[in-house]
Amino acid sequence: MNSSAEKASRKWAYGVFGRSRAAMVTAAAVLLLLGMPTVPAFAAKAFRAAPWADLFRDASPRPRPRATVRRAAVPLPKPRPAEAPFTEPGQPAAKEPQTSRQNGKPSEQAAPAPPPTPPPSACRLALTDAIAIAPSIPDIRGANGCGGEDLVRLEAIVLPDKRQVSVKPAAILRCPMATALADWIRNDIAPLAASLGSTVSNLDNFNSYECRGRNRIVGAILSEHGRANAVDVRALKLANGRSISLTDRTVPRELRETVLHSVCARFSTVLGPGSDWYHEDHIHLDLMERRNNYRICQWDVWDPLPQKAPLLPAERPDEAPPREVAAKPDDAKSDAKSDAKSDAKPVAAKPGAEKANAKKPEAAAPPRQEKPAKKKRRQNRRS
């Protein structure tokens, strides 16, 4: 009984509670409708919300407004100038040279600027036109280390009296080597030529710059000629037409020795006759730098050759007998022996020797047969 009563009481309570809950929801809906604003839409934002509006607000996050990005205006091309060339629609437009604006003015594209030239060296400043005619030339960068810097083309040497000594052909040398060669001609050779009653006019240049090994041997050490630091001198020509060959043995020995002492005092390497067979017809001069300032001077000044060398036998005199009938040297020796025996003193013979000699008959000497002349023998053979 108790359980049925409890069930009935529970149903009644649920019914009352349900009806009261529905009544509460209905009352809340009425109050909400009564609290809605009646102002226009544009004033709704300023209207204060009801205190219970948060109960029915949507809890989902609202998307934030995107930030507006301001874009710059796209520049439009300038109008075509009136002086621009006209091109037909079917033909491609001709390429115009690229231009660059400098200071607001168009200019054509500049070519690549050449590398800056180094300032002249102290040697180049000292080698003026009053000493030598030697214009500067660009640096040479050859294979295997050939070439050099601060190069000049030595065309002539100017003497103190303003006369010029031509270098034939012109020598390509480094500036220090060209300066040393000019000082040698000006201070040593010019006074030597004056002592001979003339002036020097030409320098016979046998070789200067050449990219090669020593003595032109393949694979040898690079020669100083390959560094433009050497010159080969063959002869000096005077104004009176005389030529002084430095290796000619007919030139007076004293003159060649004077030149030898002058070049060995100025250059670090001097090679001439006697050094090797590569320098028998010229003199090699260079300014090679060695350890402890070591210098080489190898030039043998040979004695002059005789004016007439006895290379051929003397001519046969006219009074000499013909070679065909001349006696042989063997016959002359036999005749001399026989004469010596006849002149000798008789020796005492032993007893009994005369009898033995008497018994032996003397053998008669065979007659000497003279050989006919070669001419007759040839005639007989021909016949």
Side-chain angles (χ1 to χ4, degrees):
M1 293 293 291
N2 293 331
S3 62
S4 60
E6 289 178 1
K7 292 180 181 179
S9 61
R10 286 179 181 176
K11 290 181 180 180
W12 179 82
Y14 288 155
V16 173
F17 180 76
R19 287 191 293 269
S20 62
R21 185 177 180 182
M24 291 176 63
V25 172
T26 305
V30 171
L31 292 176
L32 181 61
L33 293 175
L34 293 175
M36 291 183 65
T38 57
V39 294
F42 63 87
K45 294 182 180 180
F47 185 79
R48 186 175 179 179
W52 56 82
D54 294 337
L55 298 175
F56 305 97
R57 183 177 299 174
D58 189 4
S60 61
R62 297 180 181 179
R64 296 182 180 180
R66 295 181 181 178
T68 58
V69 179
R70 296 182 179 180
R71 297 182 180 178
V74 178
L76 299 176
K78 295 182 180 181
R80 184 180 182 83
E83 60 273 10
F86 176 76
T87 56
E88 297 181 1
Q91 297 180 356
K95 295 183 179 180
E96 297 181 357
Q98 298 181 358
T99 59
S100 61
R101 290 185 173 272
Q102 298 178 359
N103 299 328
K105 297 181 180 180
S107 60
E108 294 184 359
Q109 186 178 5
T117 57
S121 62
C123 175
R124 175 68 270 187
L125 296 175
L127 190 63
T128 60
D129 294 342
I131 298 177
I133 307 300
S136 298
I137 62 175
D139 299 342
I140 299 177
R141 305 293 182 185
N144 301 325
C146 287
E149 301 176 353
D150 196 13
L151 302 179
V152 299
R153 186 175 63 252
L154 184 60
E155 299 176 355
I157 300 170
V158 182
L159 299 178
D161 57 358
K162 306 302 179 183
R163 296 185 182 181
Q164 294 186 2
V165 179
S166 301
V167 180
K168 296 183 178 180
I172 297 177
L173 301 170
R174 294 177 183 242
C175 182
M177 183 62 192
T179 302
L181 189 63
D183 292 342
W184 174 58
I185 295 294
R186 287 166 55 89
N187 300 325
D188 296 345
I189 301 302
L192 180 62
S195 64
L196 300 176
S198 182
T199 58
V200 59
S201 61
N202 292 340
L203 173 67
D204 188 358
N205 171 30
F206 187 59
N207 191 17
S208 57
Y209 170 72
E210 183 181 358
C211 185
R212 60 175 175 83
R214 292 180 182 178
N215 300 325
R216 293 186 174 86
I217 298 176
V218 179
I221 301 175
L222 181 64
S223 172
E224 290 300 307
H225 288 279
R227 298 185 176 95
N229 197 33
V231 63
D232 292 339
V233 180
R234 187 159 47 184
L236 300 169
K237 295 183 179 179
L238 305 182
N240 58 6
R242 180 181 177 183
S243 178
I244 302 176
S245 177
L246 302 181
T247 58
D248 189 1
R249 299 178 67 174
T250 60
V251 177
R253 182 187 178 94
E254 297 180 358
L255 180 60
R256 289 179 287 148
E257 287 182 348
T258 303
V259 177
L260 168 65
H261 295 317
S262 65
V263 293
C264 289
R266 292 185 177 274
F267 301 94
S268 60
T269 306
V270 178
L271 301 176
S275 61
D276 51 36
W277 67 275
Y278 295 100
H279 301 89
E280 293 295 327
D281 57 349
H282 65 275
I283 306 299
H284 172 90
L285 309 174
D286 68 44
L287 290 178
M288 182 180 180
E289 297 181 359
R290 299 183 181 88
R291 186 179 300 176
N292 298 329
N293 197 21
Y294 182 75
R295 307 169 75 90
I296 296 177
C297 182
Q298 297 179 358
W299 177 8
D300 295 337
V301 180
W302 306 113
D303 294 330
L305 295 173
Q307 296 182 356
K308 185 176 180 182
L311 302 178
L312 298 176
E315 296 180 359
R316 184 178 180 83
D318 298 336
E319 60 273 11
R323 295 182 182 276
E324 292 81 7
V325 296
K328 292 183 178 181
D330 296 337
D331 298 341
K333 290 180 180 179
S334 60
D335 296 341
K337 289 181 180 179
S338 60
D339 295 342
K341 290 180 180 179
S342 60
D343 294 340
K345 293 181 180 181
V347 182
K350 295 181 179 180
E354 295 180 355
K355 295 180 180 180
N357 294 334
K359 292 180 180 179
K360 294 180 180 180
E362 295 182 359
R368 184 178 178 180
Q369 297 180 359
E370 296 182 358
K371 296 181 180 181
K374 292 183 179 181
K375 292 183 179 180
K376 295 181 180 180
R377 189 182 300 173
R378 290 177 181 175
Q379 292 176 0
N380 295 334
R381 287 178 181 178
R382 291 177 182 177
S383 61

